[in-house]
Amino acid sequence: MDLRLDNISHYYSDVEVLRAIDLDIPAGKIVCIIGPSGCGKSTLLRLIGGLERPGSGSVLQIGEPPAESINPLTYVFQDFALLPWRTVEGNISLVLEDHNIRGGRAEAIISDVLARTKLTDFRKALPKQLSGGMKQRVAISRALAVKPAVMLMDEPLSALDSQTRELLMDDLIDLWTREPFTSVYVTHNLSEAVRLGHSIVVLSRRPGCIREIVDIPIPLAEREMGNIELERKQKYLWDLMRDEAIAADQELLRV
Amino acid sequence: MSDHLHVDAKGTQRNKVVFRGGGFAPQSKRWVGAIVFILVIALMEVGTRTGFINNLTLPRPSDVFKTFIDLWNTGLLWKHLLPSLSRLAIGAAIGASFGVAVGVMIGLFSYVRAGLVPIVAAIFPIPKIALLPLFVIWFGIDEPSKYALIAFGTFTPTVVATYGAVDNVDRSLIRMGQSFSLSWFSIVTKIVLPGAMPGILSGLRVSLAIAIILLVAAEMLGAEYGIGAYILEAGSLYDLERLFVGVSILSLMGVVISAIIGYFEKRLLDWRV
Ligand SMILES: Nc1ncnc2c1ncn2[C@@H]1O[C@H](COP(=O)(O)OP(=O)(O)O)[C@@H](O)[C@H]1O
Ligand SMILES: [Mg+2]
């Protein structure tokens, strides 16, 4: 299943947040969205997943989601959004219970996603006992449990320290390599974008519109740290964003 | 030169950094409470025995205790305590459960909120004791009017605490529930209610204390048996020993209720950081 954003604009009262966004999200690819803070990245992601209605334009699903997909458009949030009163497995079964998956079937799914995110030993732990990186792993395994057609990730690694971020990026690349998933990945971190994105959408400052789409043809598994080509792309992206970032910064000051 | 000032071989001063990070971190020191309690009682005992405190102003704690033992031995204790406890249990259960239900509705539905919040704000400050005659007219002089008074008194603070607690549930968790297409009912029972539980329980602490106050008020106005009736009788005879026995039983009830809620908080809210 592909997604198409068709001429999306959005306002909050009289503030124009997004302007005329056209974008294709092809199945099996990770599309990164970068842009200065406040440019509407999170808003765009909420529109894509149907948590908010766009002011104008529409989000289209092209083709049927795979039959086994329980929740086609699934989010991974920056703040993890785990229920603190449920254990790791409880947090995952939460999203299965409502789709009438219980008992043996739920058990099989939970074991599988926990194994894929290396959490098997933490099944019975409460969120308060876990580090930030572990919590985000739980959130990722919860997302995997509903077999999403598209994973919508809003700065999933931004709340983590840089070492944990590297480790989780490797894990995401592993997951994708073993079983490619479709994802819209919002970040403000350029090195994350060049490591994970098949294509990178650069948004301008508010009102956010697409400035450029940069493709990175290198396979994910071959993007090790210090790769010259990636460094060049990252430098290029930074040059694109630099002025926008400065302008956005001053705009916030004037408010 | 002070202790923490030192000079090394090269003549450079080396001062220890002064610790200034103490305090502002409440710790659980239960025994202090017990000691203060015992000290106050001991002071009263010594004071009344030596005549430093006049026996007419304050009863002797040992006499109060003796009176309590008498009450126990004659079997009157249970005759007074059981009706009181059942009034408290029934009235508070009605008030608190309605309060939680209405509070959750106010928290969830805009129309209910717009309609009921002003009413709740209007009846909250009314001293419910003043309405006892009204309840007597509505429900008769017997038990139901007492239940109604206690229920009404617990209802309003529970409503206010509950909808505040529902308002405070982390919106991002609700959004998460929606993003996984959970049903409305699941979001309420699995996300909103557990998330509001800490606020509801701490609201119950207040509501149940109010319930005890109203229990006594209701019993003072017309009951043969009950802690309130016992206190009223003792008070009209200026029997300070019995008055103090009654009052002590009330504070003991308060302590027990608070301990029960504390137990539930420990059990139900162990997920809190
Ligand atoms: N619910 C909302 N109501 C009003 N304004 C909002 C709301 N959400 C976001 N905004 C505003 O829209 C702009 C874009 O926000 P957001 O999408 O969160 O940006 P980003 O994720 O790129 O940092 C910001 O200026 C923000 O203040
Ligand atoms: Mg954001």
Side-chain angles (χ1 to χ4, degrees):
Chain A
M1 185 187 81
D2 298 351
L3 284 182
R4 174 168 304 151
L5 314 191
D6 184 17
N7 195 23
I8 287 193
S9 302
H10 197 66
Y11 285 82
Y12 282 119
S13 53
D14 51 356
V15 181
E16 185 178 18
V17 183
L18 292 166
R19 179 183 290 172
I21 305 269
D22 280 309
L23 182 65
D24 277 315
I25 296 145
K29 300 285 183 212
I30 300 179
V31 175
C32 283
I33 297 181
I34 60 174
S37 73
C39 76
K41 304 183 294 291
S42 301
T43 308
L44 186 62
L45 210 62
R46 287 200 295 273
L47 298 177
I48 297 177
L51 286 181
E52 227 167 296
R53 282 202 187 89
S56 67
S58 47
V59 182
L60 304 171
Q61 299 186 12
I62 313 286
E64 289 280 307
E68 80 271 12
S69 178
I70 299 166
N71 186 49
L73 303 175
T74 298
Y75 284 87
V76 174
F77 299 94
Q78 178 177 354
D79 61 359
F80 324 129
L82 300 176
L83 300 186
W85 49 86
R86 284 196 175 218
T87 58
V88 168
E89 62 176 346
N91 266 286
I92 300 173
S93 71
L94 170 82
V95 299
L96 298 174
E97 287 158 13
D98 261 59
H99 299 278
N100 254 320
I101 300 174
R102 289 157 207 277
R105 268 176 77 207
E107 174 56 37
I109 293 177
I110 293 172
S111 304
D112 172 52
V113 292
L114 288 180
R116 277 156 75 190
T117 47
K118 305 172 192 159
L119 282 170
T120 307
D121 295 339
F122 297 90
R123 245 189 123 115
K124 305 276 181 207
L126 283 172
K128 70 170 180 186
Q129 298 167 298
L130 301 175
S131 67
M134 284 295 179
K135 284 183 200 158
Q136 196 56 293
R137 280 214 177 89
V138 178
I140 291 170
S141 62
R142 176 179 63 187
L144 292 174
V146 293
K147 306 204 169 57
V150 181
M151 282 234 256
L152 304 169
M153 309 176 91
D154 190 358
E155 311 212 10
L157 308 184
S158 293
L160 308 176
D161 63 75
S162 59
Q163 289 91 344
T164 314
R165 196 179 305 160
E166 287 297 331
L167 292 175
L168 264 172
M169 260 196 276
D170 289 344
D171 289 347
L172 283 175
I173 292 172
D174 269 358
L175 279 172
W176 190 89
T177 314
R178 266 184 278 150
E179 199 175 321
F181 53 85
T182 317
S183 175
V184 183
Y185 187 106
V186 167
T187 177
H188 61 251
N189 182 314
L190 298 184
S191 74
E192 264 173 63
V194 296
R195 283 282 295 286
L196 295 171
H198 293 99
S199 61
I200 297 168
V201 179
V202 184
L203 292 185
S204 67
R205 68 177 188 270
R206 206 180 63 209
C209 52
I210 296 180
R211 277 206 59 182
E212 192 165 334
I213 299 180
V214 178
D215 287 319
I216 302 189
I218 311 169
L220 288 194
E222 291 164 27
R223 299 184 187 180
E224 70 285 0
M225 249 195 274
N227 180 316
I228 303 294
E229 179 63 19
L230 288 186
E231 302 262 317
R232 277 229 305 280
K233 291 277 188 197
Q234 191 171 336
K235 172 82 172 51
Y236 176 74
L237 289 171
W238 175 232
D239 289 340
L240 269 179
M241 277 186 60
R242 191 189 165 88
D243 296 335
E244 298 283 349
I246 292 171
D249 210 27
Q250 281 163 359
E251 206 161 287
L252 291 179
L253 279 181
R254 260 185 270 125
V255 170
Chain B
M1 206 186 282
S2 65
D3 289 347
H4 52 266
L5 193 61
H6 298 287
V7 177
D8 69 5
K10 288 191 205 127
T12 322
Q13 278 188 11
R14 292 180 175 212
N15 300 337
K16 226 183 198 151
V17 170
V18 180
F19 173 68
R20 50 188 171 165
F24 302 104
Q27 289 164 334
S28 162
K29 295 206 161 121
R30 265 188 225 180
W31 47 272
V32 178
I35 287 178
V36 170
F37 192 70
I38 291 168
L39 272 181
V40 169
I41 301 233
L43 200 73
M44 280 164 66
E45 181 74 31
V46 172
T48 44
R49 271 182 196 279
T50 56
F52 170 68
I53 302 175
N54 190 332
N55 260 352
L56 288 177
T57 43
L58 211 62
R60 197 177 285 175
S62 54
D63 288 345
V64 172
F65 190 69
K66 261 187 230 134
T67 314
F68 176 78
I69 297 294
D70 279 349
L71 191 67
W72 176 292
N73 285 337
T74 53
L76 272 177
L77 175 66
W78 296 111
K79 229 171 178 163
H80 285 297
L81 196 55
L82 288 181
S84 286
L85 286 180
S86 83
R87 283 169 195 143
L88 186 69
I90 294 173
I94 296 172
S97 46
F98 272 96
V100 169
V102 171
V104 170
M105 306 273 274
I106 290 178
L108 292 177
F109 303 108
S110 312
Y111 277 104
V112 179
R113 170 177 305 238
L116 291 189
V117 167
I119 293 187
V120 171
I123 57 178
F124 202 171
I126 299 175
K128 308 300 178 296
I129 299 164
L131 296 180
L132 189 62
L134 186 70
F135 289 133
V136 171
I137 294 172
W138 285 358
F139 301 106
I141 190 78
D142 281 338
E143 299 301 299
S145 60
K146 299 184 180 62
Y147 299 153
L149 181 73
I150 296 169
F152 199 45
T154 19
F155 173 75
T156 31
T158 310
V159 170
V160 173
T162 303
Y163 83 70
V166 171
D167 287 349
N168 273 333
V169 173
D170 191 348
R171 295 292 117 172
S172 68
L173 292 182
I174 295 177
R175 193 147 251 194
M176 180 277 292
Q178 293 175 321
S179 81
F180 281 95
S181 307
L182 302 194
S183 65
W184 181 88
F185 185 74
S186 286
I187 291 179
V188 172
T189 54
K190 294 175 187 170
I191 299 178
V192 175
L193 287 183
M197 199 48 85
I200 293 176
L201 283 180
S202 68
L204 278 184
R205 266 180 204 276
V206 178
S207 315
L208 293 180
I210 292 176
I212 295 181
I213 295 174
L214 290 172
L215 165 74
V216 176
E219 289 178 343
M220 281 182 164
L221 283 167
E224 193 180 348
Y225 292 108
I227 301 298
Y230 178 79
I231 290 176
L232 184 73
E233 193 192 320
S236 57
L237 298 172
Y238 282 87
D239 186 341
L240 290 192
E241 279 86 20
R242 289 173 65 191
L243 184 75
F244 268 66
V245 167
V247 170
S248 310
I249 291 175
L250 290 182
S251 24
L252 214 62
M253 274 160 78
V255 171
V256 168
I257 285 180
S258 161
I260 291 174
I261 292 181
Y263 170 79
F264 277 109
E265 282 181 337
K266 266 223 177 74
R267 280 287 307 278
L268 294 176
L269 307 179
D270 64 337
W271 48 268
R272 279 193 298 191
V273 196

